[in-house]
Amino acid sequence: QYAIEAVGLTKFYGKHAAVNDLTMRVPTGSVFAFLGRNGAGKTTTIRILLDLLDRSSGEARILGLDCIKDALEIKRRTGYVAEGQRMYDWMKIDEIIWFCKGFYPTWDDALAAELKDKLELPGWKKVGEMSRGTQAKLALLLAMAYRPEVLILDEPTAGLDVVVRRDFLEGVIELIQEEGRTVFFSSHIVHEVERVADWVGIIDNGKLIHCST
């Protein structure tokens, strides 16, 4: 029923609560926008869900699996694009695709080739020579080529211009929704969210203040 569940999720830095008693449920098959200003707690929440950051208290599950105990299984079944994702600058696009393929038994070569073509990624070009927009597209390919059941995108369009941002998000949603998978993406841009999301959760100062269709 729910692709992502968080109950009472809290993260303190000293006395400051970056995430404050957050309870949220993301329906399976939905496009869920996690909306909030910069510094509201979006990235901290995502990093806790993926066991990249320790929580102070609360519980979280992805695909019914415990985010700490089953972290490895979750990573196998979840695609993740971080804000400003870092990749090996010296690798060419084709090389980094080959490198990442080795980590995922479900990697789909045909889908990777289709995405590379659709996203207009030149296989011969080095990662360090690409624009931020092209790097974002490459990060998306690497997150989608093993057909994850949940795709988590943290401010995926940061640094992209308005037209590219729109086409990028609509393309992602269309691609992943064809198979009834779940997309969870964070953003601070309201009109970006309005175009593609069917659920919205609004976070402010670490608290989830609204969640609805």
Side-chain angles (χ1 to χ4, degrees):
Q1 189 178 3
Y2 298 112
I4 300 172
E5 292 179 87
V7 179
L9 215 56
T10 301
K11 174 64 178 176
F12 279 101
Y13 290 104
K15 293 182 179 177
H16 171 67
V19 177
N20 192 350
D21 195 27
L22 184 142
T23 295
M24 173 176 66
R25 291 176 177 86
V26 177
T28 299
S30 66
V31 178
F32 191 103
F34 197 36
L35 184 66
R37 295 178 291 189
N38 289 328
K42 302 187 300 294
T43 296
T44 303
T45 302
I46 287 171
R47 287 174 65 81
I48 291 171
L49 288 171
L50 292 168
D51 195 35
L52 300 173
L53 188 65
D54 290 337
R55 60 201 178 202
S56 301
S57 61
E59 295 180 12
R61 304 179 80 79
I62 294 180
L63 298 169
L65 300 165
D66 185 276
C67 286
I68 294 177
K69 293 176 188 168
D70 306 309
L72 185 60
E73 179 64 16
I74 286 170
K75 287 179 175 69
R76 286 197 186 104
R77 297 167 63 183
T78 304
Y80 171 49
V81 178
E83 183 181 5
Q85 184 154 322
R86 298 297 302 273
M87 293 171 280
Y88 294 120
D89 287 352
W90 50 270
M91 279 191 176
K92 294 174 183 172
I93 287 177
D94 283 343
E95 289 173 337
I96 203 164
I97 290 172
W98 170 83
F99 174 74
C100 290
K101 171 184 173 178
F103 294 101
Y104 298 99
T106 56
W107 188 276
D108 186 331
D109 284 326
L111 177 58
E114 181 189 332
L115 289 169
K116 191 174 115 176
D117 187 50
K118 192 174 280 190
L119 297 169
E120 299 177 344
L121 292 167
W124 49 268
K125 198 162 190 176
K126 285 189 177 178
V127 173
E129 297 169 354
M130 301 188 308
S131 67
R132 281 189 68 178
T134 309
Q135 288 192 15
K137 290 177 180 180
L138 174 59
L140 183 69
L141 180 153
L142 299 177
M144 289 181 64
Y146 52 96
R147 297 191 177 275
E149 293 165 60
V150 177
L151 183 63
I152 296 177
L153 309 170
D154 189 7
E155 294 276 4
T157 60
L160 307 188
D161 67 52
V162 176
V163 176
V164 174
R165 180 187 291 148
R166 185 195 65 205
D167 292 346
F168 177 87
L169 256 189
E170 289 183 353
V172 172
I173 304 304
E174 183 185 327
L175 209 63
I176 197 124
Q177 280 276 288
E178 284 171 4
E179 299 182 11
R181 298 167 194 269
T182 307
V183 183
F184 179 89
F185 74 99
S186 73
S187 178
H188 63 276
I189 303 168
V190 176
H191 65 80
E192 178 176 274
V193 164
E194 286 176 327
R195 295 182 68 92
V196 295
D198 47 33
W199 275 81
V200 177
I202 300 172
I203 186 172
D204 191 45
N205 289 321
K207 273 191 166 303
L208 193 72
I209 56 173
H210 186 75
C211 186
S212 70
T213 55

